[in-house]
Amino acid sequence: MTTGPNAASPHARVLADSNKVPWLGLGVWQVPDGPECVNAVRWALELGYHHIDTAQAYGNEESVGRALAESGVPREKVFVTTKFNPNGKKPDVEAERSLKRLGLDYVDLYIIHWPKGGPTWAWPGMERARELGYARSIGVSNFNVDELEKLFAVATVYPVINQVKFSVFEYRRKLLDAAEARNVALEAYSPLGTGSYLSDPTVTRVAERNGRTPAQVLLRWCVQHGLPVLAKSTHRERLAENAQIFDFVLSDADMADLDALDTTGRTDRAVESAWW
Ligand code: A2P
């Protein structure tokens, strides 16, 4: 069981294929293409983020690419993820288009955004994208245990990440355990409940007990469970706040209080209701 940042992996989680994903990333879901997105990515890079998560479906890969280019940060210092939009047909062809929009030679991680049309049909194209050097690592998103198992049954190269909605209120314990058993890292999106969990009384109490903010507690809880976590903000001061999660540790009692907020019954599902 991976237990989060520790002496062996303080900054990044080592994936099954030996690539390393930084524990904290900036997610740009719902950030419009243009100055807002360019600024968010630029500030994040200035503040020491080394991990940016975008997607074909977000429509903002060009802004991410612009900020990366303008930042002057060496390419190998940033972990960039994009996602195959399964409304398309050919993951390898779409990866090449993403690279053009991003202005990059490769992404660090390329994942199937959701299992539209079933969990396996797109995988050969994902493997091809990796073979062609478009992506260092490949994985999935929004896959439940059953879908992961079906994919493992046919894959030549196994997925190394499953990115899912994961938070104190969505503590998908059975999905986490099954993923870990396969050496698939779950990665958390919407850890703040798109902002709605920040005022929860238990979260606030734990934050006060630790002299931290609710956002820092919600993010730290994810990494202490071994999940690389994506936080979204378009405000520089919030990006700075969210990055301060590696200089404190939630106690076992704090973790237990937060674990108890789960509303999913420790589910093995990745989503409560499919949008596809
Ligand atoms: P904004 O982008 O206006 O700063 P999630 O990561 O769960 O999707 O949550 C993202 C939402 O939480 C966004 O609406 C973002 O707003 C807000 N947010 C992110 N970080 C913080 C923070 N440290 N304090 C308050 N709100 C935050």
Side-chain angles (χ1 to χ4, degrees), residues 33-125:
D33 202 32
E36 214 180 333
C37 185
V38 175
N39 279 335
V41 175
R42 178 189 301 144
W43 290 331
L45 294 169
E46 284 171 11
L47 290 162
Y49 287 66
H50 298 286
H51 177 180
I52 309 292
D53 180 281
T54 183
Q56 291 161 358
Y58 300 170
N60 55 20
E61 288 172 313
E62 285 180 8
S63 295
V64 169
R66 167 124 47 99
L68 286 167
E70 289 174 1
S71 73
V73 177
R75 172 67 189 91
E76 67 278 9
K77 299 280 187 213
V78 192
F79 188 99
V80 180
T81 298
T82 197
K83 311 187 188 82
F84 169 60
N85 179 342
N87 291 314
K89 294 211 167 13
K90 297 194 165 184
D92 49 336
V93 173
E94 297 303 333
E96 200 179 1
R97 292 186 177 143
S98 278
L99 292 178
K100 285 213 178 75
R101 288 188 291 267
L102 286 160
L104 300 177
D105 297 331
Y106 68 93
V107 290
D108 296 275
L109 177 67
Y110 188 44
I111 58 185
I112 300 176
H113 205 151
W114 62 90
K116 183 182 174 173
T120 58
W121 68 268
W123 197 247

Side-chain angles (χ1 to χ4, degrees), residues 29-31 36 189-198 213-216 219 230-235 237-239 241-242:
W29 178 47
Q30 291 185 329
V31 183
E36 214 180 333
Y189 73 74
S190 295
L192 313 181
T194 52
S196 64
Y197 303 158
L198 295 166
T213 67
Q216 289 167 339
L219 298 172
L230 301 169
K232 175 259 171 183
S233 178
T234 50
H235 294 88
E237 68 283 0
R238 289 179 177 170
L239 289 167
E241 173 189 330
N242 296 349

Side-chain angles (χ1 to χ4, degrees), residues 49-271:
Y49 287 66
H50 298 286
H51 177 180
I52 309 292
D53 180 281
T54 183
Q56 291 161 358
Y58 300 170
N60 55 20
E61 288 172 313
E62 285 180 8
S63 295
V64 169
R66 167 124 47 99
L68 286 167
E70 289 174 1
S71 73
V73 177
R75 172 67 189 91
E76 67 278 9
K77 299 280 187 213
V78 192
F79 188 99
V80 180
T81 298
T82 197
K83 311 187 188 82
F84 169 60
N85 179 342
N87 291 314
K89 294 211 167 13
K90 297 194 165 184
D92 49 336
V93 173
E94 297 303 333
E96 200 179 1
R97 292 186 177 143
S98 278
L99 292 178
K100 285 213 178 75
R101 288 188 291 267
L102 286 160
L104 300 177
D105 297 331
Y106 68 93
V107 290
D108 296 275
L109 177 67
Y110 188 44
I111 58 185
I112 300 176
H113 205 151
W114 62 90
K116 183 182 174 173
T120 58
W121 68 268
W123 197 247
M126 299 296 288
E127 293 180 341
R128 208 151 41 242
R130 181 178 166 278
E131 269 164 36
L132 291 166
Y134 299 159
R136 293 264 160 99
S137 294
I138 50 176
V140 296
S141 181
N142 298 304
F143 274 45
N144 63 31
V145 170
D146 182 53
E147 288 156 345
L148 271 183
E149 293 301 324
K150 288 189 170 121
L151 180 50
F152 265 84
V154 301
T156 306
V157 176
Y158 294 140
V160 295
I161 278 194
N162 183 18
Q163 186 186 115
V164 297
K165 188 172 190 201
F166 197 93
S167 73
V168 295
F169 290 98
E170 286 120 345
Y171 179 21
R172 306 179 188 281
R173 185 61 203 256
K174 293 193 188 106
L175 180 60
L176 178 60
D177 288 347
E180 291 289 351
R182 291 284 198 181
N183 206 359
V184 173
L186 281 199
E187 184 174 37
Y189 73 74
S190 295
L192 313 181
T194 52
S196 64
Y197 303 158
L198 295 166
S199 54
D200 174 79
T202 302
V203 174
T204 309
R205 198 168 54 246
V206 173
E208 282 168 2
R209 213 147 66 196
N210 286 273
R212 292 287 164 162
T213 67
Q216 289 167 339
V217 164
L218 289 165
L219 298 172
R220 179 75 203 181
W221 177 87
C222 289
V223 297
Q224 269 184 235
H225 273 304
L227 282 83
V229 65
L230 301 169
K232 175 259 171 183
S233 178
T234 50
H235 294 88
R236 191 182 171 112
E237 68 283 0
R238 289 179 177 170
L239 289 167
E241 173 189 330
N242 296 349
Q244 302 308 309
I245 59 168
F246 300 103
D247 56 350
F248 75 106
V249 176
L250 294 170
S251 68
D252 290 347
D254 290 336
M255 290 297 283
D257 285 352
L258 295 167
D259 289 356
L261 294 174
D262 175 48
T263 58
T264 71
R266 306 292 195 249
T267 185
D268 67 354
R269 297 167 64 99
V271 292

